[in-house]
Amino acid sequence: MRNSRIEVAPIAGALGAEILGVDLSRPLDDATFADIRQAFGEHSVIFFRDQQITPEQHIAFARRFGPINVNRFFTPVAGHPEVAEVRKEPDQKKNIGETWHTDHSYDEIPALGSMLIAREVPDHGGDTMFASMYAAYDALSDGMKHTLAPLRALHSSRHIFGHGAGYHHNDLKGRLHNPDAATQDAVHPVVITHPDTGRKALYVNSNFTVGIEGWTREESEALLGFLYRHGARPEFTCRFRWRNGSMALWDNRSTWHCAVNDYHGQRRLMHRITIEGSALH
């Protein structure tokens, strides 16, 4: 890292680092932002603590990374359609994002990343786990890498956010909406070359990947099941404990994440912005 006012403190071996010495309520000079962007590329998910920022400041920081993707399915923050609510009330049992996934892989041009800030967190529980798809790919055998190299996978939003998902009949009602908009299908390489870092990463996930192009359902399930188990190996992961004002920015091209649902009876309210990306190859 260049000499600057920030400190980058890794939190695990595979991915994740806290960025210290930054107040996101104040404008960032270009050199400081460049250091943050470099840390993001190196660690795939970066964390900030004790950020007392408004939705406007949240939006302004996200736009330093790229245009904002206005989410089709999440309830927006009042007056700020760019910011999506990720909320669970004390009487609700199901949370959002409890299985390993990456956001927006169903889009033809998937998101660069997601920027989540904690507005209200439980006394305990409600952590988020992240997994490095760089590390997952690197740990595969040469034979498996050769097998995966030409493969492409189908991703879809329909079964998660569409009418058949059932969320409008359970306690996710009011938190997710607009099932008519769940028409996204996209095909991406199973292994991508990251557009910024040039590193190879595994690019399938258990929420949105529905099959391998040209393979039967049974064949797809066998391979994808192995990759999902492999990608979630503990040595590829880190775990983040939230406090009010904590922020995470993760790279959707090189990570998975899952929200641990272990805080029943407590409220958790997060604000998320998704940042537009580029085509994957």
Side-chain angles (χ1 to χ4, degrees):
M1 301 295 294
R2 285 191 302 273
N3 183 31
S4 76
R5 292 171 295 177
I6 74 169
E7 179 183 348
V8 180
I11 68 168
L15 78 169
E18 288 200 22
I19 307 297
L20 309 175
V22 174
D23 180 356
L24 297 177
S25 70
R26 305 175 66 178
L28 296 176
D29 60 69
D30 290 343
T32 300
F33 179 75
D35 283 344
I36 292 171
R37 185 88 191 224
Q38 182 178 339
F40 177 60
E42 290 179 357
H43 298 281
S44 295
V45 56
I46 54 176
F47 307 103
F48 304 83
R49 293 289 193 186
D50 304 318
Q51 300 298 322
Q52 305 305 316
I53 61 173
T54 65
E56 291 84 0
Q57 291 165 336
H58 188 185
I59 292 167
F61 183 48
R63 283 182 173 151
R64 295 290 294 269
F65 291 87
I68 290 172
N69 178 298
V70 177
N71 191 277
R72 310 169 183 90
F73 308 116
F74 285 62
T75 299
V77 172
H80 300 285
E82 304 94 335
V83 186
E85 271 194 359
V86 182
R87 173 171 47 87
K88 183 187 176 193
E89 300 293 351
D91 62 334
Q92 295 171 327
K93 300 298 183 184
K94 188 171 179 61
N95 73 338
I96 294 171
E98 64 183 330
T99 56
W100 285 109
H101 67 286
T102 191
D103 300 331
H104 288 248
S105 71
Y106 48 78
D107 285 333
E108 289 188 14
I109 300 180
L112 175 153
S114 297
M115 185 179 287
L116 188 71
I117 187 166
R119 299 300 189 186
E120 184 176 343
V121 298
D123 292 337
H124 57 275
D127 296 354
T128 300
M129 297 185 67
F130 298 88
S132 171
M133 293 303 101
Y134 292 143
Y137 175 78
D138 290 345
L140 293 169
S141 69
D142 289 343
M144 180 57 76
K145 290 175 182 177
H146 181 76
T147 299
L148 298 181
L151 299 183
R152 292 163 60 83
L154 175 65
H155 302 246
S156 181
S157 66
R158 299 172 189 270
H159 60 294
I160 298 295
F161 297 119
H163 285 285
Y167 66 76
H168 44 291
H169 298 301
N170 60 31
D171 69 358
L172 286 178
K173 186 174 182 179
R175 292 188 276 168
L176 298 174
H177 61 93
N178 203 21
D180 289 337
T183 59
Q184 294 75 36
D185 299 305
V187 177
H188 303 296
V190 171
V191 176
I192 64 164
T193 299
H194 194 284
D196 297 329
T197 68
R199 296 182 63 185
K200 290 189 180 297
L202 193 62
Y203 195 74
V204 292
N205 69 93
S206 61
N207 259 18
F208 299 119
T209 306
V210 296
I212 304 296
E213 188 176 56
W215 288 33
T216 67
R217 178 177 178 179
E218 291 77 12
E219 291 167 344
S220 293
E221 287 178 348
L223 178 60
L224 291 171
F226 163 75
L227 294 176
Y228 298 155
R229 293 189 298 273
H230 174 77
R233 282 166 48 177
E235 63 266 35
F236 306 153
T237 69
C238 70
R239 183 169 180 140
F240 186 65
R241 183 173 185 180
W242 296 92
R243 302 194 298 257
N244 289 342
S246 297
M247 176 185 280
L249 168 63
W250 61 87
D251 190 327
N252 279 309
R253 290 83 51 92
S254 63
T255 68
W256 291 347
H257 61 280
C258 70
V260 181
N261 190 19
D262 61 349
Y263 54 99
H264 302 310
Q266 300 186 76
R267 191 171 195 259
R268 185 177 184 268
L269 175 63
M270 321 291 277
H271 286 177
R272 194 187 84 180
I273 294 177
T274 302
I275 302 161
E276 296 277 18
S278 56
L280 299 179
H281 304 285

